[in-house]
Amino acid sequence: MKLRSKIIFSFIFALVGFMIAIQFQSNQKPEERDTRDLWEIRTELQEQQKIQQQLYSRITELDEMIQQYEGQSQSEKVATLKQSIVELRKKAGLTEVEGNGINIKVKPIFQDLDSSQSYPTISPALLQRLINELNTYGATDIAIGNERITNISPIRDVNGYTYINNHPIPPLPVDIKVLTQSPKRLLDYMQVSQSKDEFAIENLELSITVEENMTLPKYEQMPRLNHLKVDENTETGES
Amino acid sequence: MWLPVLFLIVGVLLGLLTDIRVPEEYANYLSIAVLAAFDTLLGGLRAHLEEKFDQKVFVTGFFFNVTLAAFLAFLGVQLGIDLYLAAVFAFGVRLFQNIALIRRYLIDRGRIKKNKEKNQRK
């Protein structure tokens, strides 16, 4: 090869090397750095410890239940089983529950406007946001009107009407009953919550009061358990 | 042969040191261009081993292939077809062919050398 060809060859080699390096660098994602300071890490740690505590107490509860199941007499076993069924039904929202909590009354706001104003309704999106917020702030059980909200309750828009549990919600005003361990705290949270503003935009007002001994209705329909299967491999009831 | 390798290393180092990054939407173009460049390089190497190396063909081939590949990728994006795959396929096949030919040539050359040594000993 002549010297000139060699130089050109080398030059193009260098160009290719350059291109490869750039391509390599472009594909390398910059690593994410942890920019939390000491206090943020501490609060995170505290939160995680709290979760750990909760999990531990849950484990002890379940251990106790196992011990009860393994109890001596047959009648004891049956009693424990019945008790767990009651508890599970309560958890699934299939029983009426009583307790302290807050009552949120959703009322329409009417303004003095010259133009005609339509009667406001609650949209599913608003309800979902409200329920999310309530759950975040420690609600244990929620009922909207006469409909109990369970983990599988659908909230949908059907031809412009809002349906909960496949039933339309009654016209305004509607009561939303929320049970919680600390009603006062939930009330304080809700007084300054985002939901209040969002409802106000839709001409709806939330008036929130603390109530004692509220009764929440039970979930009326059969819960659909499409994803549960009977385990036929293991024999049960014999030991 | 050491000069091109040296230049390749210099190019890589230069690229790494300058810390240039291509925006993500253009990464496709660059990757296809790199592939085309590889193809041309190996083609040139093969031609050199076969003693058919033409400087003009090599240089124009390099720039033309790179541009064509990038253009194909661009056209593909505009039309919503993954046209760059065509380039990847074509260049991929040629890469393999070139590498195979280079390998064979080197093996042949090694054999001839050995035979010569044997004859000399005799």
Side-chain angles (χ1 to χ4, degrees):
Chain A
M1 207 189 274
K2 279 181 280 176
L3 185 69
R4 210 172 139 222
S5 313
K6 221 174 204 174
I7 288 171
I8 286 172
F9 205 66
S10 310
F11 179 69
I12 288 192
F13 251 87
L15 210 60
V16 172
F18 189 68
M19 278 161 75
I20 291 169
I22 289 176
Q23 173 75 1
F24 176 74
Q25 261 178 358
S26 307
N27 276 343
Q28 234 66 19
K29 297 263 179 298
E31 57 179 289
E32 276 182 31
R33 289 198 304 157
D34 195 351
T35 53
R36 293 176 298 178
D37 65 11
L38 197 62
W39 282 108
E40 281 170 318
I41 291 173
R42 256 182 215 168
T43 38
E44 172 81 27
L45 188 69
Q46 253 173 6
E47 268 169 38
Q48 294 299 333
Q49 277 172 341
K50 220 184 259 175
I51 293 170
Q52 195 187 21
Q53 283 294 324
Q54 283 171 356
L55 288 175
Y56 275 141
S57 61
R58 228 21 231 121
I59 289 171
T60 4
E61 245 173 64
L62 291 175
D63 274 343
E64 272 172 25
M65 194 173 278
I66 288 173
Q67 273 177 0
Q68 280 174 342
Y69 275 137
E70 287 170 348
Q72 298 290 316
S73 67
Q74 199 74 25
S75 62
E76 258 180 33
K77 276 185 199 169
V78 173
T80 324
L81 266 176
K82 275 183 181 161
Q83 196 191 327
S84 357
I85 289 173
V86 170
E87 263 170 39
L88 287 174
R89 281 179 68 86
K90 197 173 168 189
K91 256 186 204 165
L94 298 176
T95 55
E96 282 189 358
V97 277
E98 269 184 38
N100 300 338
I102 60 170
N103 189 5
I104 305 174
K105 205 173 195 63
V106 186
K107 286 185 291 192
I109 306 173
F110 285 107
Q111 293 157 323
D112 289 330
L113 292 173
D114 292 334
S115 57
S116 61
Q117 195 182 351
S118 63
Y119 198 75
T121 52
I122 313 177
S123 68
L126 270 181
L127 267 186
Q128 272 158 12
R129 287 187 72 110
L130 179 68
I131 289 170
N132 279 346
E133 220 163 16
L134 286 170
N135 282 330
T136 320
Y137 296 140
T140 50
D141 303 275
I142 303 172
I144 297 174
N146 265 330
E147 293 298 332
R148 178 73 176 275
I149 303 291
T150 66
N151 282 343
I152 51 168
S153 287
I155 300 175
R156 296 200 190 95
D157 185 299
V158 180
N159 290 333
Y161 294 99
T162 305
Y163 276 54
I164 299 172
N165 293 340
N166 300 325
H167 297 298
I169 56 168
L172 298 173
V174 172
D175 278 324
I176 299 174
K177 290 175 180 169
V178 186
L179 293 193
T180 174
Q181 307 281 354
S182 47
K184 187 80 186 63
R185 220 167 130 190
L186 183 59
L187 177 77
D188 290 343
Y189 276 131
M190 290 316 292
Q191 292 289 12
V192 294
S193 72
Q194 191 98 42
S195 295
K196 252 191 142 168
D197 301 338
E198 280 160 8
F199 273 72
I201 292 168
E202 304 271 325
N203 289 330
L204 295 165
E205 190 196 345
L206 300 180
S207 57
I208 308 163
T209 48
V210 172
E211 272 186 34
E212 286 177 1
N213 293 327
M214 279 196 302
T215 311
L216 266 59
K218 61 178 178 180
Y219 181 67
E220 297 284 351
Q221 301 152 31
M222 271 300 289
R224 282 168 52 181
L225 304 170
N226 294 342
H227 300 293
L228 291 189
K229 277 184 196 158
V230 179
D231 188 1
E232 287 170 349
N233 290 329
T234 48
E235 291 182 15
T236 50
E238 283 167 28
S239 55
Chain B
M1 213 44 229
W2 52 268
L3 196 66
V5 175
L6 187 77
F7 267 64
L8 184 72
I9 293 168
V10 168
V12 170
L13 283 180
L14 223 67
L16 287 177
L17 287 176
T18 46
D19 200 37
I20 299 172
R21 273 166 215 271
V22 179
E24 216 168 291
E25 58 261 40
Y26 299 126
N28 251 351
Y29 302 115
L30 186 62
S31 61
I32 209 91
V34 166
L35 199 62
F38 258 135
D39 172 60
T40 318
L41 266 192
L42 285 173
L45 210 62
R46 183 187 128 200
H48 166 62
L49 289 171
E50 287 171 351
E51 283 162 14
K52 285 193 291 191
F53 185 76
D54 186 337
Q55 189 187 310
K56 225 177 222 168
V57 172
F58 179 69
V59 175
T60 50
F62 175 77
F63 288 109
F64 187 76
N65 277 352
V66 169
T67 332
L68 186 73
F71 176 70
L72 260 185
F74 171 75
L75 199 69
V77 170
Q78 299 303 317
L79 295 178
I81 312 163
D82 287 340
L83 256 186
Y84 73 93
L85 286 177
V88 169
F89 183 72
F91 286 131
V93 169
R94 268 177 42 171
L95 267 177
F96 271 105
Q97 264 175 359
N98 281 340
I99 290 170
L101 280 169
I102 289 168
R103 179 175 47 96
R104 265 181 216 178
Y105 185 83
L106 288 178
I107 289 171
D108 281 351
R109 207 160 70 167
R111 258 190 214 139
I112 291 168
K113 232 184 203 174
K114 247 186 195 171
N115 284 343
K116 259 187 193 169
E117 276 172 17
K118 260 187 194 171
N119 290 338
Q120 273 175 359
R121 262 183 233 159
K122 279 176 188 175

